[in-house]
Amino acid sequence: MKKKFDFLFAGVGGQGTILASNIVSEVGVRCGYDVKKSEVHGMSQRGGAVESHVRWAERVYSPLIEEGTADFLLGFEMLESARWPHYLAPGSLVLVNNHRVMPPSVNLGQEQYPTEKEIESILTAAGAEVLWVEGAAKADELGNQALAGVVLLGVLSTKLTEPAEVWEQAVADLVPAKFKELNIQAFRAGREMAEK
Amino acid sequence: MKKIMTGNEAFAYGAYLAGIDVAAAYPGTPSTEILENLSKYPGVYTEWTTNEKVALDVGAGAAYAGGRALVTMKHVGMNVAADSLFYLSHTGMKGGLVIINADDPAMHSSQNEQDNRQYARFAKLPMLEPSDSEEAKKSVRTALEISESFDTPVIIRTTTRLSHSLSIVETEAEPAPKVKSEPAAYERNPTKYVMMPASARKRHPVMEERLIRLAEFAETSALNRIEPGDDEIGIIASGVVYQYAKEVFPNATYLKLGMVYPLPAGLIRELAGRVKQVVVIEELDPFIEEQVRILGIPARGKDIFPIVGEFNPGLIRRCARSAGLLPRPTGQAPAVTAPQLPARPPMLCPGCGHRAVFYALQRLNAAVFGDIGCYALGGTPPLNAMHAQGCMGASIGLVHGIDLVGVKDRTVGVIGDSTFFHSGLAPLINLRYNNGTSTVIVLDNRVPAMTGHQPNPSTGNTLMGVEAPVVKIDELARGAGLTKVDVVNPYDFKHVMDTIKDHIKSNEPSLIVAQYPCVLYKRERNQPMTVDVEKCNECGNCLRIGCSPITKIEGGVTINSGLCIGCGFCATICNQGAISLPAQEGVTA
Ligand SMILES: Cc1ncc(C[n+]2csc(CCOP(=O)(O)OP(=O)(O)O)c2C)c(N)n1
């Protein structure tokens, strides 16, 4: 187990970014990696941007990923996905939830929300591959917007070799008990999307 | 067993394992979760105090009585508690006292940046600094042992990045349940505990002698260690910065400090003897660097690394390259830079009761002197209704001083309920006593919302879930001698406007309590508001209240039904009647 995996999560307060990053940390621990995770919360409840770093390796020192070395970026919101290209390693993979949350300056008509094309070119310029995920649409179908993040995790799990059962168990253990079934469904939907 | 925990969860777990009896704190990011987590363990009494100084005095009392006490606070909380810190350093305690101090480099959620390691030197107290969650867990027990054997309060310093990062912790055997013993008689020892000049003069030499013994302890304690490596550079680092350094300089020789005050001069000299140059990597002040230089060792530090903000591995690598400590990269692609994208600043929540007050103040073009809490967001665009904001409790003294000199503007001070209990009462009494004329508005949402809804004296319960009396702010003000005191519902907007105008005009000190529970705490939702674009004349009023669900579109506005909680405030201020109230009752237009 020599390899290291650095995961960056980006979203907007209230989207479940922190929960998803907790699940990825837990999967790492259960698979025997040294794991560290870092995030800053505080004002995020007030609709601000949320960013979280998760690192798996044989030995992890820094809880923060170094610029230019992230292997995966999970973007829970389109604009937020494009904020961190300087963190991406060449050949990294970005999963973008196809969902927009307008920042105040866009609401007030002072700034433009970037187009899909612009977002994609910011990320590919950093040498990353971009995968658009219909997480929000799937979550709506399942009846709860908050599930989009777990759909993304389903997709992510297919890009790694850790067993699906470990992922499912971590999801089941970390989400609120009454939403367990729905979250498992969302996770499986993500896996199906990726395998199609 | 291995468990992944945040630094703050690990501190709480460590406090439980170490047998803390009493823990007291005032919330403050990034320290808040320590007490929140500790309150869930059995056998520990925890309480939210009204401010940090009270917390430290409660902790001191518990330790004077022979208990094991923990007090936690954010860095600026230490400024509030400092007076007590100094007498405690003089007296010592019968039991143990540990203070966890959380610094916030880069001010992720703070009003100023400061390096509280300086307090250790200032108050002559030992300070530990763990570098991951496992060390955080262990640090509480170690700190208690030092406290009890050296008769001193011990400070543990954490930073945002340690408190809010997760790493693996080894779980330990459950501590034996505490047995309640008969209370002992209070140990009376006035020369040790009654700090009048004559006795305090005897205590100061004791503190100095204690520091010498602590420095000797630092030489041999497992908290500090030399990690042998190559002989090019010897790095001195502590806390999470040590972890960043290990990523960038995996092969260097290290002096890893788990105790940052007092420093182990012998180990520092030993490190210097092993390597060609000593480099201190520390966030904020050159606290260690200066002390190393005093030993006559030409250490480098702040000539390479910044004195402001937070570090990360990339920053350390870039600085090290510029200083020639690492080779410059050759022939690599230019680094990718962060793109310019619309920012997402924090805003008042949809349905927040503070909004109406700030909109009223904006309409009255008042000069507003504020305080610390969610309501500071009333100063952000488009409300822009805050004109000074410094620290907790400052608002009332500030507006009084401004009114003494006099300005053309209408002036008001605004303060939150938790902040009022923290440090608003003394300046209010001062205002009354000195025949001031200022107007104060208390934004009473029943909780400290900014730090995540911890119960406080206006909530009706305590941290341990016990019912508690509600302290009424209007009654406190009347008790202080104010006669012009009103309580308003912020959603009764006309009344709010009239009341504020009336108070500003009056020549006596006055107070308005704008009372509405925090919507995130209450978690109630009405139907979302809807817009009749036909009626909209694009005046822009609703866009000036800074409510995120309201979005400008071609020919009018639209309201995001997923985000709107139907408070109806936008309908109240729409002159065209284009926004309609939800079917339910609850809001007065
Ligand atoms: C001395 C000090 N202690 C703690 C904090 C952290 N802090 C910032 S805002 C806040 C809560 C304020 O609550 P309240 O006054 O009720 O305002 P609200 O956020 O509810 O609007 C706290 C505890 C601080 N900034 N300074």
Side-chain angles (χ1 to χ4, degrees), chain B residues 296-365:
Chain B
I297 297 167
R300 298 189 69 185
K302 291 297 160 190
D303 60 322
I304 306 175
F305 305 103
I307 197 166
V308 296
E310 192 184 25
F311 290 3
N312 58 58
L315 177 138
I316 293 177
R317 194 182 302 280
R318 284 191 299 278
C319 292
R321 278 177 179 158
S322 313
L325 297 182
L326 289 174
R328 280 170 200 272
T330 45
Q332 271 187 5
V336 180
T337 52
Q340 285 292 324
L341 291 169
R344 215 179 278 280
M347 291 173 82
L348 291 176
C349 300
C352 176
H354 296 342
R355 177 173 285 107
V357 174
F358 284 106
Y359 186 65
L361 293 171
Q362 185 208 68
R363 289 252 290 248
L364 294 169
N365 199 19

Side-chain angles (χ1 to χ4, degrees), chain B residues 8 26-35 72-74 100 102 163-164:
Chain B
N8 281 350
Y26 180 71
T29 316
S31 68
T32 314
E33 300 86 0
I34 303 172
L35 233 66
T72 74
M73 59 192 63
K74 70 179 293 171
I100 304 180
S163 281
H164 288 175

Side-chain angles (χ1 to χ4, degrees), chain A residues 12 36-39 41 45-46 48 55 61-62 64 66-67 77 79-80 82-83 85-86 101 103-104 107, chain B residues 33 161 164-166 243-244 247 313-314 317-318 336 338-339 341-344 347 374 449-450 520 548 551-552:
Chain A
V12 177
K36 283 192 181 167
K37 177 188 133 148
S38 182
E39 75 225 358
H41 37 82
Q45 274 198 60
R46 317 288 170 267
R55 310 193 61 203
Y61 288 103
S62 167
L64 288 173
E66 186 167 346
E67 287 106 316
E77 196 275 342
L79 167 60
E80 292 310 314
R83 226 183 264 289
H86 47 302
V101 181
N107 275 350
Chain B
E33 300 86 0
R161 218 37 99 166
H164 288 175
S165 288
L166 290 91
Q243 309 286 0
Y244 304 152
E247 300 276 350
R317 194 182 302 280
R318 284 191 299 278
V336 180
L341 291 169
R344 215 179 278 280
M347 291 173 82
C374 281
M450 182 59 106
L520 287 186
S548 61
T551 304
K552 194 172 172 4

Side-chain angles (χ1 to χ4, degrees), chain A residues 46, chain B residues 26-29 32 51-52 73-80 109-111 348 352 354 371-376 390-392 415-423 443-454 456 458 518:
Chain A
R46 317 288 170 267
Chain B
Y26 180 71
T29 316
T32 314
N51 71 32
E52 293 86 353
M73 59 192 63
K74 70 179 293 171
H75 61 335
V76 287
M78 186 63 97
N79 301 337
V80 176
S109 5
S110 303
Q111 71 267 25
L348 291 176
C352 176
H354 296 342
D371 228 296
I372 311 283
C374 281
Y375 48 97
C391 74
M392 288 193 105
I415 184 167
D417 53 315
S418 184
T419 308
F420 185 80
F421 296 125
H422 178 281
S423 44
L443 296 153
D444 180 7
N445 59 3
R446 326 304 290 178
V447 282
M450 182 59 106
T451 47
H453 313 118
Q454 294 74 25
N456 81 9
S458 63
C518 169

Side-chain angles (χ1 to χ4, degrees), chain B residues 455-490:
Chain B
N456 81 9
S458 63
T459 317
N461 60 320
T462 71
L463 173 57
M464 297 192 68
V466 177
E467 206 178 303
V470 171
V471 180
K472 295 208 172 98
I473 294 169
D474 53 320
E475 284 177 7
L476 284 176
R478 287 197 190 92
L482 276 79
T483 48
K484 197 168 181 65
V485 177
D486 284 296
V487 180
V488 299
N489 173 355

Side-chain angles (χ1 to χ4, degrees), chain A:
Chain A
M1 197 211 291
K2 274 269 164 291
K3 242 188 111 82
K4 66 100 187 166
F5 295 98
D6 288 332
F7 307 90
L8 189 63
F9 296 76
V12 177
Q15 281 196 299
T17 318
I18 305 282
L19 175 66
S21 63
N22 282 339
I23 293 170
V24 174
S25 303
E26 190 60 31
V27 170
V29 175
R30 292 182 187 186
C31 293
Y33 290 98
D34 187 16
V35 177
K36 283 192 181 167
K37 177 188 133 148
S38 182
E39 75 225 358
V40 168
H41 37 82
M43 300 184 82
S44 58
Q45 274 198 60
R46 317 288 170 267
V50 184
E51 155 220 3
S52 175
H53 298 208
V54 175
R55 310 193 61 203
W56 297 355
E58 197 180 335
R59 174 76 203 255
V60 180
Y61 288 103
S62 167
L64 288 173
I65 301 171
E66 186 167 346
E67 287 106 316
T69 68
D71 304 291
F72 294 96
L73 165 60
L74 272 74
F76 286 55
E77 196 275 342
M78 287 166 50
L79 167 60
E80 292 310 314
S81 312
R83 226 183 264 289
W84 309 100
H86 47 302
Y87 270 86
L88 297 171
S92 54
L93 178 65
V94 183
L95 306 180
V96 187
N97 179 23
N98 213 334
H99 180 63
R100 292 180 181 82
V101 181
M102 296 300 162
S105 59
V106 174
N107 275 350
L108 298 174
Q110 297 159 346
E111 280 186 287
Q112 294 273 318
Y113 193 94
T115 63
E116 276 179 44
K117 239 199 169 133
E118 282 165 338
I119 290 171
E120 185 144 347
S121 70
I122 288 173
L123 295 167
T124 50
E129 184 195 333
V130 180
L131 194 63
W132 293 88
V133 180
E134 295 299 332
K138 192 73 205 170
D140 273 342
E141 211 179 294
L142 293 169
N144 191 337
Q145 255 305 315
L147 296 168
V150 178
V151 177
L152 245 59
L153 292 186
V155 178
L156 174 70
S157 71
T158 65
K159 311 292 172 192
L160 293 155
T161 54
E162 281 60 35
E165 306 77 68
V166 179
W167 283 91
E168 285 200 4
Q169 196 57 50
V171 171
D173 293 345
L174 266 70
V175 302
K178 61 176 175 177
F179 298 117
K180 197 164 103 180
E181 282 314 310
L182 264 179
N183 277 280
I184 298 286
Q185 276 183 41
F187 179 79
R188 290 187 183 157
R191 281 189 76 89
E192 275 165 32
M193 275 181 184
E195 275 153 8
K196 242 186 254 161

